[in-house]
Amino acid sequence: MIPTEEVSARRREIEYKLKQEELTLSFIKDSLEKSDQLTKNMVAILSSFESRLMKLENSIIPVYKQTENLQRLQENVEKTLSCLDHVISYYHVAKDTEKIIKEGPTGRLEEYLNCMDKIQKAVEYFQDNNPDSPELNRVKSLFERGKESLESEFRSLMTRHTKPVPPILILDLISGDDDMEPQEEMFLEHLPEGVLHDIIRISGWLVENGRNQDFMTVYFQIRSVQLDRSIKGLKDHFRKNSSSTGVPYSPAIQNKRKDTPTKKPVKRPGTIRKAQNLLKQYSQHGLDGKKGASNLIPMEGHEHDLRVKHLSDALSDKHGPAAGRDDVFDIEIDAYIHCVSAFVKLAQSEYQLLTDIVPEHHQKKTFDSLIQESLDNLIMEGDNIVSAARKAIIRHDYSAVLTIFPILKHLKQMKPEFDQVLQGTAAGTKNKLPGLITSMETTGAKALEEFADNIKNDPDKEYNMPKDGTVHELTSNAILFLQQLLDFQETAGAMLASQETSSSASSYSSEFSRRLLSTYICKVLGNLQLNLLSKSKVYEDPALSAIFLHNNYNYILKSLEKSELIQLVAVTQKTAERSYRELIEQQIQTYQRSWLKVTDYILERNLPVFQPGVKLKDKERQMIKERFKGFNDGLEELCKIQKAWAIPDMEQRDKIRRAQKTIVKETYGAFLNRYGNVPFTKNPEKYIKYQVEQVGEMIEKLFDTSA
C-alpha cells in the first residue's frame, strides 16, 4: 500500500497545478477583453478619419476642376495667338524675301535657300487653307522666280568653273597606275571645293523642293563638252609635241616616280615605223609587180651599197614631206591610244563627281548621256582607222595592219576597265567598244590572210630579182612583218581565232591562239619558200640560183633565231630549224657542183698514166696543155663571175670559201705536183699560171667586189 504521506503530497501538488492553470486562464481572459476594447476604439478613430476625408474631398474637387478649366482656357488662348502669329507671318513672307530673291543667290546661297524654304512653306499654307488668297499667287510667282535663279546660278557656276583637264595632268593620270606609289593615287579636282559645295546644295534643293530635273540636262551637257575638249586637247598636245624625245609629264609627278622597275609600257606605234615604211615600199613595188624592186634590203653585199645610195638620194629629195607624213601618222596612232586611256580615266573621274551632284536613281542615265559624245568620237576615229586599213589592204599596203595591232592590243587591254566604267549604261553604249574590237580583228585577220596569199603569188620578174643573188625583198619584208607579230602575239592570235568556226575557237584560249599564230607563220614561211623556189628559176646559172636560195634560207633561219620566232614556229613545226639547215646545206652542195667544170680538168681519174723518164708523145703533151688551160680559164671565169655575187652572212661566206678553197687547192696541188715538172711545153709559164696559194687567194676574193 502507498503511504498516506505520499498520497497527501501528490494531492497538494495537483491542487497547486490546478490553481496555476486557473490563474493563467483568468489572465488570458482579461487580456482578450482589453484587446477587444482597443479594437473597438481604433475602429471608431478610423471611421471618424474617413468621415473627415470625405468632407474634405467634397470641398476640394470643385475647386480643382475650376482651376483645370482655367489652365486649359489659358493654353488655348496661347495656342490661338501662336497660330495667328504663324498665319500672319505667311502674309509677310513675300515682303520679307522679295529683295533677296530679286538679287539672286550669288555670294549668299545659304541665306537664299532659307528664303526659298520660307516661300515654299507659304505656298503650301495658302494652297491648303486659302487657295483664293491673292497672296498665293504672289508667293507662287516669287517661288518660281527663285527656282529659276537657282537653276541659272547652277548653270553659271558649272559654266564658269568647268575647264578642260590639261594634257599634262591627263598623261600623269594615265601613267600614275604604273609609276606612282599606291598611297599617292592621283585625283582630279574638276571644280573648286567651295563651288562644288554650292553646286551640290543647289542640286539637292532642286531635287528635294523644286521637283526639277532640268539641271541634270544642263549638268551633262556642260560636262560632256568639257570631257570632249579634254580629250581633243590631249590629241592636239601630241600633234604639237611631235618630237621623238617622248611626251613630257608634269614635274610634280616626275618627282614622285619610283626608282624600282615598273610595268613594261605599251609598245608605241613609232617603234614599228621602220617596218611600216619597208612593208609599204614592198607592198607597192614588190607585190604589185608594177615597178622595180624596193631599194630596202637589210643585208650586206655590193648591190646593197648601190641600193642604199639610190635610196639616200631618193629620200634627200622627198625627206620633208615623206618624213612628215610618217611622223604625223605615228603621232595620230599614239594620240589615239592615249586618248582611249584618257577617256577611261576621265570617265571614272566624271562618275565620281556626278555621284555627289545627281540623285542616285538618275546617275547612270545622266552618265550615259555625259560620255556619249566623247565615246562616239573615239569609236568613229577607230572606225576611220579600220576603214583606212581596209582601203590600204585593197591596195596591198600591208603596213596598215601594223597600225591596227597596237591599237587593238590596247583596246583589249582596256576593255575590262571600259566595262567597269560603262556598267549600268545602255546596251548600245556598252556594245560600242566590242563592236570596234570585232571590226579590227576581222580587218586584221583579212590583212594577215591576204599577206600570206600575196607572198605566195608575188610575180617572178627578172627586173625584180637581185643580180648578185642576195636576199630578196620579199624575204626580208616577210620576215620583218612576222617579227612585228612577236610584240602582238595574243592580238594576232585573236585576229586569226575570230575567223575560226570550229569548236576549238569557241573555247578560245591563249594556247589555241598561240597555235593559230604558229600555223599562220608556218604558212607564210611555206608560201615564201615556194615563191623563192619559183624565183630562183629566173636565174640561168644554177650556181647563182643556189646562192640566191642559200642566202634567203639562211636569212630566214637567222632571223627566226634572233627574233625568237623559231620558238613560235616550233609550236606546230618542231623540225623547222633542222629543215632550214638541211635546205641551206643542199644549196651549198649545189653551188659547189659549179666548180666541177674547173676541177674535172685536173682530176686524176681523167688523166692518162705517164711513165717517169719516158718521153711524152705530142698527143700527151697536148692533153696536159689542155688540162692546164681548161683549169686556168675555168678558174678565171668563175672567179670573175662569182666575185660579183653576194653572200651577206660573213660566217656563211667564209665557210663556203674555205670549203671550196680546200677542195680546189688539194686537187690542183696534186695535179701540179704530178705535172709541174713534166716537160710538156717549152713555155711552162704560159700554162702553169698559178701556184697553189695563188689559187687559194683567188677563191678568197669570191663574193667581194671590193677585192
Side-chain angles (χ1 to χ4, degrees), residues 576-602:
E577 184 176 0
R578 185 181 67 190
S579 298
Y580 274 110
R581 295 194 186 282
E582 291 174 353
L583 288 171
I584 292 169
E585 197 59 38
Q586 287 174 10
Q587 299 311 316
I588 292 176
Q589 293 173 5
T590 301
Y591 162 75
Q592 288 175 342
R593 284 198 289 272
S594 69
W595 281 83
L596 292 178
K597 63 182 180 180
V598 176
T599 57
D600 276 352
Y601 283 105
I602 56 177

Side-chain angles (χ1 to χ4, degrees), residues 388-401:
R390 287 171 179 164
K391 293 177 181 177
I393 292 168
I394 294 174
R395 300 192 307 267
H396 302 301
D397 177 10
Y398 295 101
S399 63
V401 76

Side-chain angles (χ1 to χ4, degrees), residues 673-685:
N673 287 335
R674 184 169 183 181
Y675 297 104
N677 297 321
V678 173
F680 64 92
T681 179
K682 293 179 181 180
N683 301 308
E685 66 278 358

Side-chain angles (χ1 to χ4, degrees), residues 476-498:
S476 59
N477 286 286
I479 293 298
L480 187 61
F481 185 88
L482 295 180
Q483 286 173 343
Q484 302 306 311
L485 302 184
L486 285 175
D487 293 315
F488 307 100
Q489 294 184 39
E490 186 174 345
T491 305
M495 285 180 176
L496 297 169
S498 67

Side-chain angles (χ1 to χ4, degrees), residues 441-455:
E441 285 183 338
T442 303
T443 303
K446 181 180 179 183
L448 291 174
E449 290 302 322
E450 287 199 14
F451 180 80
D453 292 340
N454 278 280
I455 289 292

